[in-house]
Amino acid sequence: MSTTTPATFPTGLPAGLRFAFVEAVWHADIVQQARDAFLARMAEAGIGPERIDLFDVPGAFEIPLHAQRLARSGRYAAVVGSALVVDDGIYRFDALMQTVVQAMMNVQLDTGVPTILAVHTPHHFREHAEHRKYFLRHFAVKGTEAADACLQTVAGLRRLDGLLAS
């Protein structure tokens, strides 16, 4: 469970809303902690797994294109992306991360469908027990936070739409 526990979940969300969760399979054991925590938090809010579609992609770079197609489909109230981008000494991981963040921002601005990111880029990640243990816990927290952000953003946009329609 996350240390970020909101007092209440947003109310008034229609029962039929669907959500998409796109996750990179690179470092899947770590990234899946975010997915599992996301699903658990959404269930706490009354949104079961039957209303959340899961999609696997090879890595973070592939998340925005999937998010764009999912958002354009009109089926989803929000799209969440999750990945662990590490510095392997071969490529500029910070440039990759910046590209993914900007692309996801473009998706939400172009489609009006919120995109939530649980994509993280540690400065130093090594394949040893302590780093793995830390990031397993960290991604569980991030998954819970992504669910909270997803619910709050969707509810906030629905309220805003109602105000603007008046």
Side-chain angles (χ1 to χ4, degrees):
M1 182 66 63
S2 170
T3 58
T4 60
T5 304
T8 59
F9 291 108
T11 58
L13 292 178
L17 290 183
R18 298 190 65 76
F19 299 86
F21 192 95
V22 183
E23 63 183 333
V25 297
W26 191 258
H27 294 289
D29 61 326
I30 293 172
V31 176
Q32 288 170 356
Q33 297 301 306
R35 179 203 59 209
D36 293 347
F38 176 85
L39 292 172
R41 180 63 117 205
M42 295 294 278
E44 289 175 22
I47 298 170
E50 71 281 355
R51 291 175 46 199
I52 302 167
D53 294 329
L54 305 175
F55 301 90
D56 290 341
V57 295
F61 192 74
E62 292 78 22
I63 291 173
L65 182 57
H66 276 70
Q68 181 185 58
R69 289 198 180 171
L70 293 166
R72 284 183 178 166
S73 76
R75 291 190 64 190
Y76 300 99
V79 179
V80 179
S82 184
L84 174 64
V85 179
V86 300
D87 177 6
D88 67 358
I90 295 173
Y91 64 93
R92 294 285 313 260
F93 71 102
D94 52 339
L96 171 66
M97 189 64 199
Q98 182 179 0
T99 299
V100 170
V101 169
Q102 185 61 57
M104 290 294 278
M105 180 58 72
N106 291 344
V107 168
Q108 81 176 352
L109 292 175
D110 291 346
T111 65
V113 175
T115 60
I116 309 298
L117 278 176
V119 178
H120 299 284
T121 310
H123 285 289
H124 303 287
F125 176 82
R126 301 296 175 256
E127 292 284 345
H128 60 70
E130 281 306 308
H131 271 197
R132 296 189 66 71
K133 185 175 158 183
Y134 172 80
F135 282 102
L136 286 167
R137 286 190 318 266
H138 180 69
F139 264 70
V141 170
K142 293 300 158 190
T144 300
E145 291 173 349
D148 291 344
C150 187
L151 292 166
Q152 292 168 15
T153 302
V154 170
L157 287 172
R158 293 184 67 81
R159 281 191 304 275
L160 180 61
D161 289 345
L163 289 171
L164 295 174
S166 302

